[in-house]
Amino acid sequence: MPQRPGALYDRQLVTLAFALMSVGLVIVASASIPEGISLANDPFMFVKRHGMFLVMALGIAWVVLQIPMTRWQQYNGSMLLLAIIMLVLVLVAGRSVNGSVRWLPLGPFNLQPAEFGKLALFVYLAGYLVRRQNEVRERFIGFMKPMAVLFVLAILLLLQPDLGSVVVMFVTTLGMLFLAGARLVQFIGLILVGVSAVVTLIIAEPYRMRRVTSFLDPWADPFGSGYQLTQSLMAFGRGSWFGEGLGNSIQKLEYLPEAHTDFVFAILGEELGYIGVLAVLALQFCMAAKALRLGHACLQAQRLYEGYLAIGIGIWFSFQTFVNVGAASGMMPTKGLTLPLVSYGGSSLIIMSVAVSMLIRIDFELRQASAQARVREA
C-alpha cells in the first residue's frame, strides 16, 4: 500500500526548526527585558515583536510549503531581479540604524532586503547550475557568470554597508560551485581574490579596522573598540558549565550592546552555560547536516535543482552559525549576522523559516517520487 501523502515529510527537520525557534523565543524574551524597559518602559516589548515575527514566519512558511519546487526553478531569475531592485530601493529610501542603511520601512515592519537577497541568490544559483552544468565544469566563463551576479549583489550590499552578508554569499556560492564540479584551480584563484578584496575592504574603512584590532586583542581597549567583545567573553565566563539560570544574566543589563540580536548567543551561554551552548550548537549542526544529506540524496536521485538548493541552504545555515558564534566568542571579528532561527529580527526569522520550509518541501517531493517509483515497480 502506498503511504499517505500527508505522512511524507521529515518530522525530525520540523522538530529541529521548532526547537530552535522555541529557544530563540525564550532567550530573546530574557535578553531583551532591560532594553525594552529602557526604550518603552515595557519589559516584553521585544518578545512581543519576536512572537509576532514568529507567527508571520510560520504563516509564510506554510504558504511556501504548498509551492512545488518546479515553480522556484521556473522563476528563479525573476526572484533574483526582485532582490536586486529591493537592494537598490534600500539605498534610495532605506532606514538608517547604527550608521547602516539596511532596512526598508513598511509601516510597523522593517524589511531587510539583504536576507531576501541571500535566498534569492541561492535559488537562482541552483537553477543556473542545472542549466549550465557542463559549462561550469568545462569553461571558465561558466564559472565566472554566477560570480558576476554575486559581484553586483556585493556592491549593493557594501554600499549599505553589510560585509557580513557578502561573506556568507561568497562562501555559499563557492561551496555550491565546487559541488557542481567546477575546477579546483578556479577556486584557488577566486579565494585569493576574495581574501584580498576582504582585506582591502577592512583596511579601507576605519570602523572595520577597529573591529579586527579589537578582535585580535579586545582587552587592549576594553572600554573602547574592544568593549562589546570583552562583555561577551565575560558573559561566557560567568556561564561556566551550567549557567547562571534562565533570566539571571548580568551582561544583558545594558552592559552588552545588541544582547538580543547579534550577541544573543553570549546571553544564552551566560544563562544556560556550556551545556546550553552545546545543545543549541547541536541543533544547528543537525539542521545543516539534514540539509546537506537531503541535497546529496536529491543529487543521487538526479533531482539536481533540489539537490543544489538544499546543499546551498545547508552551507548557508552552517556558515552563518559559525560566523555568529565566532563573533560572540572572539574567534572572528563581529559581522552583524543573526543566529539562524534564534536571534531577534523579523526579516532573518522569516527568510530562514522559508528556507526550512523549502527543505521540507524538497524532502516531501523526494519521498513522494520514491514512493510512486516503488508502487510502479510493485
Side-chain angles (χ1 to χ4, degrees):
M1 290 287 293
Q3 287 182 282
R4 290 181 296 107
L8 292 175
Y9 69 95
D10 191 335
R11 291 179 176 84
Q12 292 180 1
L13 192 57
V14 175
T15 302
L16 286 169
F18 277 127
L20 286 168
M21 289 176 179
S22 300
V23 169
L25 185 63
V26 172
I27 292 299
V28 166
S30 177
S32 64
I33 288 174
E35 190 77 6
I37 294 173
S38 174
L39 292 177
N41 199 29
D42 181 1
F44 303 111
M45 171 186 169
F46 287 101
V47 74
K48 288 174 186 175
R49 291 183 181 179
H50 192 73
M52 179 186 69
F53 295 148
L54 193 55
V55 171
M56 289 174 59
L58 291 174
I60 293 171
W62 183 85
V63 172
V64 169
L65 198 59
Q66 314 308 312
I67 302 174
M69 294 311 299
T70 52
R71 289 286 182 269
W72 296 103
Q73 185 173 4
Q74 182 180 359
Y75 295 108
N76 64 80
S78 301
M79 189 173 174
L80 178 66
L81 181 60
L82 177 61
I84 293 173
I85 292 171
M86 290 169 65
L87 287 171
V88 172
L89 282 176
V90 81
L91 296 174
V92 175
R95 178 170 175 259
S96 177
V97 178
N98 296 331
S100 298
V101 184
R102 300 180 185 177
W103 292 267
L104 278 175
L106 301 175
F109 179 71
N110 291 319
L111 176 66
Q112 191 172 5
E115 297 296 334
F116 179 73
K118 294 175 194 173
L119 182 63
L121 174 63
F122 307 145
V123 168
Y124 167 79
L125 188 56
Y128 175 83
L129 292 176
V130 173
R131 294 191 304 271
R132 306 287 185 178
Q133 191 172 45
N134 291 334
E135 190 176 337
V136 169
R137 292 178 177 178
E138 297 172 5
R139 300 179 59 192
F140 183 68
I141 188 66
F143 178 81
M144 288 308 298
K145 284 179 181 178
M147 299 312 300
V149 173
L150 175 61
F151 179 76
V152 172
L153 292 172
I155 292 297
L156 294 172
L157 287 167
L158 289 172
L159 290 173
Q160 295 182 4
D162 187 358
L163 180 60
S165 293
V166 173
V167 173
V168 170
M169 288 180 172
F170 179 73
V171 170
T172 306
T173 299
L174 282 185
M176 293 176 72
L177 287 169
F178 180 77
L179 290 170
R183 295 175 183 175
L184 186 60
V185 66
Q186 295 170 342
F187 282 98
I188 295 173
L190 196 60
I191 288 171
L192 291 175
V193 171
V195 171
S196 301
V198 170
V199 171
T200 303
L201 289 169
I202 289 172
I203 295 173
E205 288 288 349
Y207 82 93
R208 291 192 186 122
M209 197 64 194
R210 284 196 299 272
R211 283 185 177 182
V212 172
T213 54
S214 64
F215 148 70
L216 294 173
D217 187 9
W219 301 102
D221 188 12
F223 298 104
S225 61
Y227 178 78
Q228 199 169 29
L229 181 52
T230 55
Q231 297 300 317
S232 179
L233 293 175
M234 282 190 275
F236 283 113
R238 292 189 76 252
S240 189
W241 284 94
F242 300 102
E244 294 290 314
L246 191 62
N248 292 329
S249 166
I250 298 296
Q251 297 306 115
K252 72 182 180 185
L253 302 177
E254 301 197 9
Y255 291 104
L256 176 60
E258 312 295 339
H260 59 296
T261 54
D262 300 346
F263 282 83
V264 71
F265 196 71
I267 302 302
L268 186 148
E270 184 179 6
E271 296 190 348
L272 302 183
Y274 183 66
I275 301 302
V277 164
L278 281 185
V280 172
L281 287 179
L283 290 173
Q284 294 283 8
F285 172 80
C286 289
M287 176 70 75
K290 293 282 287 184
L292 294 173
R293 282 165 52 188
L294 175 60
H296 176 72
C298 287
L299 293 179
Q300 293 290 101
Q302 293 303 304
R303 301 177 70 88
L304 299 184
Y305 179 76
E306 293 90 337
Y308 288 134
L309 181 56
I311 287 172
I313 293 173
I315 297 171
W316 172 22
F317 267 65
S318 55
F319 185 72
Q320 185 154 323
T321 298
F322 171 73
V323 172
N324 179 276
V325 173
S329 58
M331 294 188 296
M332 298 184 68
T334 55
K335 286 288 185 293
L337 292 172
T338 58
L339 186 62
L341 299 176
V342 176
S343 296
Y344 174 83
S347 297
S348 174
L349 183 59
I350 290 170
I351 293 300
M352 291 291 184
S353 299
V354 167
V356 172
S357 185
M358 285 181 169
L359 291 176
I360 296 170
R361 179 73 198 194
I362 291 170
D363 180 80
F364 168 78
E365 292 186 4
L366 178 63
R367 293 183 185 216
Q368 193 175 52
S370 300
Q372 290 171 351
R374 286 196 297 269
V375 169
R376 285 196 296 269
E377 290 173 1

